[in-house]
Amino acid sequence: MVEAKLNQIAEELLVYNFDSEKNMSLTNGLPGISLFLFLYAYYKQDERYQEKASKLLLQSVEIVMQGNAQPTFASGLAGLGWLIEFLIQKEYIENEEILSPLDDQLYQIMLRDFKMNNWDFFHGGLGIAFYFLKKHKKGKSLIYLKDAIQALQELREKDTNGIKWKSLNLLNGQQSYDYGLAHGMPSIISFLSKCCQKDVEYTTCKSLMNDAIEHLLSQKKRSQEWPNLYPCYIKNGKTKTFSRLAWCYGDLGICTSLINANKVIGKLDTEINEIIQSLIQRTKLETNKVEDAGFCHGSAGILHLFQYIQKNVSDKISLQQSIDYWQQVCLQFATIEEGIAGFQFYKQGDANEKKLQNVLGILDGVAGVGLSFLSYQNQDFDWDECFLLS
């Protein structure tokens, strides 16, 4: 069933007309769809999908050349740059320095964002630094990375337990201590662990990571009132305790962050296993706010993160039942006749009302479901680095 649905997703994206599409966001635009099609083409050894993927990648670059691009990882140059470097390293495309002339400009924007306390992975300085980490052996990337790590050092706040970072929400100007993988401190922990694994400022990054983990673990609280162990965020001294089951926020993303850190420091097995035992009990869709199959906060993301966790822990048997369950949940969402391969996804509509829509990208749409299903089939997880996993 997964293979059939994966093929249907790929076929519908193959024939979809993207000629008027101007969204060059890695997460919800042409680059992410290109990523899926490149990987599917390799999986199937089918040049039709590679040709389509190449066309969408070129279309994305042309949008940049027209001057219509944001700098961020989620929506702009940093994300597209990461994708190009990923494809080069996988030898899917030739080694061409397509966006490198813009690196100096991105570096200045990164410093500006850090100075504003906007270190957000998707929308701020950390995402740009993550792009430079992907190409750390090229150009001035290593210099830029050292300055990013220095900025994180300067922004940290000492806590009773370890260190923490206050993040800035650019939409409302409010600051908070965020514990989600998409926008919060777990993203910093994952970034620092990847720096250590690539021997970039190893001593500094390991020290920061250890102190950040100490703070994160101090926030764990068990209660009968909510299913999660870790809070969502703390803002104006008030804690939003409940967090959903998802990639973006909650224990699932925190668990993957600790797994990445454990590859460096190797003392977190007990904490990781405790989170896993809590996670596998969370199966009710309504309680965990699972409303569609999207990667960000839907069943495809949950399925993939359980697969990633299983791949990286010794006790694989206890996780298989959860993987099988969430795979079935994903397929059960593919029942909408007007959808793409049967899938539609909840998006904010008029008057801020959520409604089901056809969505194509990897964060909130059908290409993300395709990537999750592809990893389910071939056990290749390299691509999920763009979600701070591998």
Side-chain angles (χ1 to χ4, degrees):
M1 286 293 290
V2 172
E3 179 73 15
K5 187 56 65 176
L6 170 63
N7 293 341
Q8 186 182 359
I9 291 170
E11 288 165 7
E12 295 201 25
L13 289 175
L14 179 67
V15 300
Y16 195 94
N17 185 351
F18 292 96
D19 289 347
S20 61
E21 180 60 59
K22 300 296 183 184
N23 187 344
M24 50 77 61
S25 156
L26 174 63
T27 54
N28 280 317
L30 296 170
I33 300 165
S34 173
L35 170 63
F36 167 69
L37 291 172
F38 268 116
L39 294 172
Y40 183 82
Y42 182 80
Y43 173 63
K44 289 292 187 178
Q45 293 295 294
D46 191 326
E47 291 184 358
R48 296 177 303 151
Y49 295 96
Q50 184 173 353
E51 291 172 1
K52 182 80 168 191
S54 298
K55 180 181 178 181
L56 297 185
L57 181 63
L58 179 60
Q59 193 172 334
S60 301
V61 173
E62 289 174 347
I63 293 170
V64 172
M65 297 310 171
Q66 293 167 6
N68 300 317
Q70 298 181 42
T72 63
F73 190 85
S75 303
L77 292 172
L80 178 59
W82 175 90
L83 172 63
I84 291 171
E85 191 62 31
F86 173 83
L87 296 173
I88 289 170
Q89 293 178 17
K90 296 284 283 188
E91 298 184 347
Y92 292 163
I93 64 174
E94 293 183 2
N95 189 359
E96 297 182 10
E97 299 297 315
I98 300 172
L99 297 184
S100 292
L102 300 174
D103 282 359
D104 287 346
Q105 178 183 346
L106 276 176
Y107 167 65
Q108 295 299 329
I109 294 171
M110 180 190 77
L111 293 181
R112 180 204 67 187
D113 283 347
F114 277 125
K115 189 174 182 179
M116 293 170 57
N117 228 31
N118 176 25
W119 48 261
D120 190 288
F121 170 63
F122 263 8
H123 308 301
L126 195 65
I128 299 175
F130 192 72
Y131 158 60
F132 290 132
L133 181 61
K134 186 63 178 174
K135 53 181 296 186
H136 69 286
K137 295 182 180 180
K138 294 183 176 181
K140 300 178 182 177
S141 295
L142 194 57
I143 297 172
Y144 298 159
L145 273 172
K146 289 179 179 179
D147 286 347
I149 294 163
Q150 178 63 33
L152 286 173
Q153 276 189 296
E154 293 173 356
L155 288 172
R156 75 191 190 279
E157 299 178 10
K158 291 186 178 181
D159 188 58
T160 305
N161 299 287
I163 59 173
K164 58 187 178 181
W165 286 267
K166 187 176 290 183
S167 61
L168 172 68
N169 186 322
L170 291 178
L171 295 178
N172 57 28
Q174 294 184 349
Q175 293 187 329
S176 65
Y177 298 103
D178 193 301
Y179 298 97
L181 182 58
H183 309 289
M185 285 177 270
S187 67
I188 294 179
I189 292 171
S190 288
F191 171 75
L192 293 170
S193 73
K194 292 178 186 302
C195 287
C196 288
Q197 291 171 56
K198 294 186 178 184
D199 200 24
V200 175
E201 297 293 290
Y202 181 90
T203 302
T204 300
C205 289
K206 185 178 180 181
S207 176
L208 288 171
M209 183 172 59
N210 268 314
D211 290 346
I213 289 170
E214 182 183 349
H215 170 74
L216 176 63
L217 297 182
S218 74
Q219 300 302 304
K220 180 179 66 178
K221 294 178 183 177
R222 281 193 172 275
S223 173
Q224 297 298 320
E225 298 179 30
W226 51 80
N228 49 290
L229 299 176
Y230 290 87
C232 192
Y233 57 75
I234 300 173
K235 181 165 57 178
N236 298 325
K238 297 181 180 179
T239 302
K240 181 180 180 182
T241 304
F242 172 79
S243 60
R244 66 198 310 163
L245 189 66
W247 167 78
C248 54
Y249 277 93
D251 293 354
L252 200 51
I254 288 172
C255 186
T256 65
S257 179
L258 293 178
I259 285 173
N260 283 330
N262 207 34
K263 295 174 183 178
V264 179
I265 62 178
K267 60 181 182 181
L268 298 170
D269 289 351
T270 300
E271 298 294 340
I272 291 168
N273 288 334
E274 182 180 359
I275 299 173
I276 290 172
Q277 294 309 309
S278 174
L279 288 170
I280 61 178
Q281 299 176 46
R282 298 178 64 178
T283 57
K284 295 181 180 179
L285 302 192
E286 184 176 357
T287 302
N288 293 297
K289 295 191 177 297
V290 181
E291 299 176 330
D292 59 34
F295 191 93
C296 182
H297 44 260
S299 59
I302 298 170
L303 168 64
H304 187 77
L305 267 66
F306 270 119
Q307 291 185 87
Y308 179 77
I309 293 169
Q310 184 189 54
K311 178 175 179 282
N312 286 279
V313 298
S314 57
D315 181 11
K316 302 182 185 303
I317 297 175
S318 64
L319 287 156
Q320 191 58 50
Q321 186 174 354
S322 295
I323 291 171
D324 293 341
Y325 171 75
W326 289 107
Q327 173 248 308
Q328 288 298 317
V329 171
C330 283
L331 292 172
Q332 289 167 12
F333 278 121
T335 59
I336 302 172
E337 186 175 346
E338 300 82 7
I340 300 171
F343 291 102
Q344 286 192 327
F345 306 85
Y346 278 102
K347 299 286 284 183
Q348 296 294 338
D350 296 336
N352 209 33
E353 294 180 0
K354 290 194 300 184
K355 60 180 181 180
L356 285 169
Q357 302 178 35
N358 288 343
V359 184
L360 300 171
I362 63 172
L363 183 68
D364 298 316
V366 73
V369 181
L371 284 170
S372 182
F373 282 179
L374 185 58
S375 289
Y376 184 87
Q377 293 298 99
N378 68 6
Q379 293 299 295
D380 183 350
F381 295 81
D382 288 351
W383 63 268
D384 65 18
E385 180 184 85
C386 68
F387 288 118
L388 289 171
L389 300 176
S390 293

